[in-house]
Amino acid sequence: MSTEPPSPTSAPIEQVSSVVIRFAGDSGDGVQLTGNQFTKTSALVGNDISTLPDFPAEIRAPAGTLFGVSGFQLQFGATEIRTPGDTPDVLVAFNPAALKVNIDRLRKGGLVIVNTAAFSTRNLQKAGYESNPLEDDTLSAWQLVKVDITKMTREALKDAPIKTKDKDRAKNLFALGMVYFLYDRPLDHTVNWLEGKFSKKPDIAAANVKALKTGYYYAETAEVFRSTYSVPEAPIKAGTYRNVTGNLATAMGLVAAAQVADINLFLGSYPITPASDLLHALANMRAHGVRTLQAEDEIAAVCSAIGASYAGNLGVCSTSGPGLALKGEAMGLALMVELPMVVVDVQRGGPSTGLPTKTEQSDLLIALYGRNGESPLPVIAARSPADCFDAAYEAVRITIKYRTPVLLLTDGYLANGSEPWRIPDPASLPGIDPNFLTEPEGFQPYARDPETLARPWVKPGTPHMEHRVGGLEKDDLTGNVSYDPVNHHKMCGLRRDKVLRIQNDMPPLEVVGEQSGDLLLIGWGGTHGAITTAVESARAAGKSVSSVHLRHLHPLHPDLGDLIRRFDKVLVPELNFGQLLKVLRAEYLVDAHGLHKMAGQPFTVTELEQAIEATLYGEA
Amino acid sequence: MSEEAVQLTRKDLTSDQEVRWCPGCGDYAILKGVQNALAGLGIPREQMVVVSGIGCAARFPYYMETYGFHSIHGRSPAVATGVKMANPDLHVWLVGGDGDMMSIGGNHLIHILRRNLDVTILLFNNRIYGLTKGQFSPTSGLGVLTKSSPMGSIDPAFDPIGLALGAGGTFVARTVDLWGKHLEATVAAAHAHKGTALIEILQNCIIFNDGTFDPAVGKKARDENSIELVHGEPLVFGTDRNKGIRLNGTRLEVVELGDGVSEDDLMRHDAHDDSAIVPHLMATMQYPDFPVPTGIFRQVDRPTYEQSMEEQVHMAQLRSEGKKPDLGALFNQGDTWVVS
Ligand code: SF4
């Protein structure tokens, strides 16, 4: 059977530079699958792309309820795409609840595709609709496309030798086929994927392919859409690409760095949303020497990573806010024994259990300060899903070079979001040398490298270098237990200074826009795409605005203070109540202002554009 | 890794650090016994790692001329798990007290036993918190008067042996701080066992709980009030070897030998049976109703955790000839596309 789409129809084709689509329905509607397929197909035709899945906290919330709505939003385009988009152009709603939850975000005039079969009285009630919005003027601001997807899918599959339940499950592919037609996408990728996925169940594969094609042909022949659109290829740097989520990119960055350093990676982890996919990804990388321990709790996870590093592996743990809170004491131990370890905190909404499936940047202060005693640790943050690879690699470089645990902050938005990743040539990755000490002559466990202040890493098993480490204060050089007051002051200072030395090998700050001007935005983490997009649009409108996005949260970049002083105003947008803001004000005595959002959702570009206006021209 | 048998002495395993336990503490005798036992194992000391948590006992690594890690309260099983998984060739001992191992670290203790990592746990049970100056511990038991239980403790006691057996421990034994030869033999047997070995060492805290075990295992009482468990042997005890333990229904009872009761009527110890029923029964014997059982309660073979992990890594590397595949293979998994 040919997978070629039919020849173009008579409907007019408009060219657009970017589009935002949101698929929404019950957890069981296959919304994530549909979104992922559209993403991959769009990447394969050369668009740039950014995605954001939006899960309910419940695994299978009761069908048809508002809180059970699962969503998948993506933006694809012919230009550089940095965010999943503020306002969808198209909403595909599989039931009334999905319509209700998402309709207000849809651009006025945008397209709503609904499955009319799902708009039963009962489903309308569950969604809190008093009358059927498809039949009154509720949706008059949008273009409504009503399709009985369930009926047409059943009809298309009436001869398929599979159960009715399985036929009904193919309705998301019917909808996907329609949207493929709308945006002039080829079907081959999804057809191949279905045939691979259901290779053991060819009847199911064939039925799903049929549903996909029927949706496509239906949209074409029934002239469902007033026009169709084409989105040309984006000017993307040459190379081989694949789509990655932040969690997968983090896992690959850690493994790559360990392999370059020629040591094994050990992960101690306790399942926690939204970090569990890191555990899953790494458990799948045994061939690369990865040992994973699904520990009995968060504390065991971090302690096992410390033990593994002590024995010469790269100890890693992955967690989210509540887990990070439990790891505080052990992280203090790791910094006291001055061994490498990477702790990945995939931030989620807090405090306490908070909003497990939603994103936030509110763990910065616990990352910087959440341990007893004077306990400085390097903290770095990733800015986009693909950047998680580089951030993880940098975390490993620092932890090994400076013999200090490193905290890597990502967040739920980055972890689950995806974008194309330009696959690096392994040979081009910077070298990392664990530099194990094996020479007993003159060995002192706490003697330091004069450049980095790092102490030697000696693997147990190395002859004639037996020594003891632990959480009690160490005597400088010998590492013996010491209660001496002068020594304690000195050691606290050495641990602080060692971390500050990381400033010596930071690459120059990357500034979007001029190096001086009216307003500087300072961001960190997953807000990069929205901030950069907003700053570029303000600059295009002639405003004197620049931005800098921080990779290193501790120590801060040595040039940051000077940069700040070259601007009249400073705005720090964060998904918290001003945590970096506090640090910057304390560090640089700068009258910076914050933009705060605590909604479990990323910033929209519009929100940032408005904040730029307000900061430049005073609160109106 | 091939290891040439090395002959060490106790002195080779003694570090230059001054021992800081209270004079007369049972820990001194344990240190000596463990050093003697380890010196006789024929393994080089750089292959030895001693991991501890927090407490009086947890200072142990500082006094051993081996690799040592004095970690944080309760977490030595977790730290040791990382050490052993990272390098299965190392020989690892864990040292901790009853508070460290069974209170704050209780969760880690049961899980290391469940996983059967090949390490030895030396659990010093003195039934009191020493380093924090005399509060009741999870092994103190009801009614005990301490600073934090001025009207008597209302916390029932944990039995370390029963707990270890319940967690699936594959080697569970009990010895006593002052029983030099017995302690050394038990430590050696534990090391020979492939899997997690837990030894409860009854230890005297001379400052806060002096003589707590003396009525059962002290010099004068030992023969009369303790019973050595030997696999396959009948349970005979007493200074004159004239008493025994008999199974009556589901309960044990103390009987006098003679007068129609012979050794054939006595319960026989079975440390190797797959089910842990007999070891569990042995663990129910508490002084003064019964003699205190010592020796090896249970020893069964199970795959060790780290070997199971190594097998998975080996399987995963079959296609890449036992080496890590090129990173390019990892990066290029899934759908890729080329932009030119
Ligand atoms: S307090 Fe007790 S257990 Fe601790 S060192 Fe002193 S005698 Fe030993």
Side-chain angles (χ1 to χ4, degrees), chain B residues 23 27 67 95 105 131 133 149 163 183 271:
Chain B
D27 290 357
Y67 283 92
V95 179
L131 197 61
K133 301 195 170 54
S149 56
L163 184 74
L183 188 146

Side-chain angles (χ1 to χ4, degrees), chain B residues 194-237:
Chain B
K194 291 280 159 261
T196 306
L198 180 135
I199 307 175
E200 180 195 11
I201 305 175
L202 306 182
Q203 176 243 326
N204 193 40
C205 170
I206 197 168
I207 305 294
F208 297 111
N209 206 12
D210 193 20
T212 181
F213 299 111
D214 279 358
V217 299
K219 223 181 221 157
K220 292 186 198 124
R222 174 179 178 174
D223 289 345
E224 191 61 21
N225 294 334
S226 74
I227 181 167
E228 180 68 10
L229 303 174
V230 181
H231 175 73
E233 296 292 315
L235 297 174
V236 179
F237 71 105

Side-chain angles (χ1 to χ4, degrees), chain A residues 177-314:
Chain A
M178 289 179 64
V179 185
Y180 276 165
F181 174 75
L182 180 63
Y183 289 104
D184 190 22
R185 317 266 103 175
L187 304 180
D188 348 14
H189 168 76
T190 299
V191 169
N192 291 342
W193 181 82
L194 285 167
E195 282 168 353
K197 180 170 163 75
F198 295 112
S199 60
K200 298 229 171 72
K201 297 174 182 167
D203 291 340
I204 303 263
N208 279 296
V209 169
K210 179 123 199 237
L212 177 76
K213 290 185 173 177
T214 309
Y216 190 102
Y217 298 144
Y218 166 75
E220 182 193 26
T221 45
E223 297 197 5
V224 172
F225 304 116
R226 267 186 242 154
S227 56
T228 61
Y229 303 88
S230 78
V231 181
E233 287 181 26
I236 296 173
K237 200 171 166 191
T240 304
Y241 284 78
R242 71 183 281 197
N243 216 46
V244 286
T245 62
N247 272 339
L248 179 60
T250 304
M252 286 194 292
L254 293 167
V255 168
Q259 192 156 329
V260 167
D262 198 21
I263 55 179
N264 288 330
L265 186 150
F266 172 93
L267 176 81
S269 187
Y270 187 79
I272 186 168
T273 302
S276 302
D277 278 346
L278 254 176
L279 165 62
H280 307 159
L282 286 165
N284 240 318
M285 297 180 189
R286 292 253 195 282
H288 292 274
V290 177
R291 275 82 174 160
T292 53
L293 173 73
Q294 184 176 312
E296 57 272 21
D297 61 28
E298 294 279 356
I299 299 173
V302 60
C303 288
S304 65
I306 294 171
S309 283
Y310 173 67
N313 275 17
L314 172 64

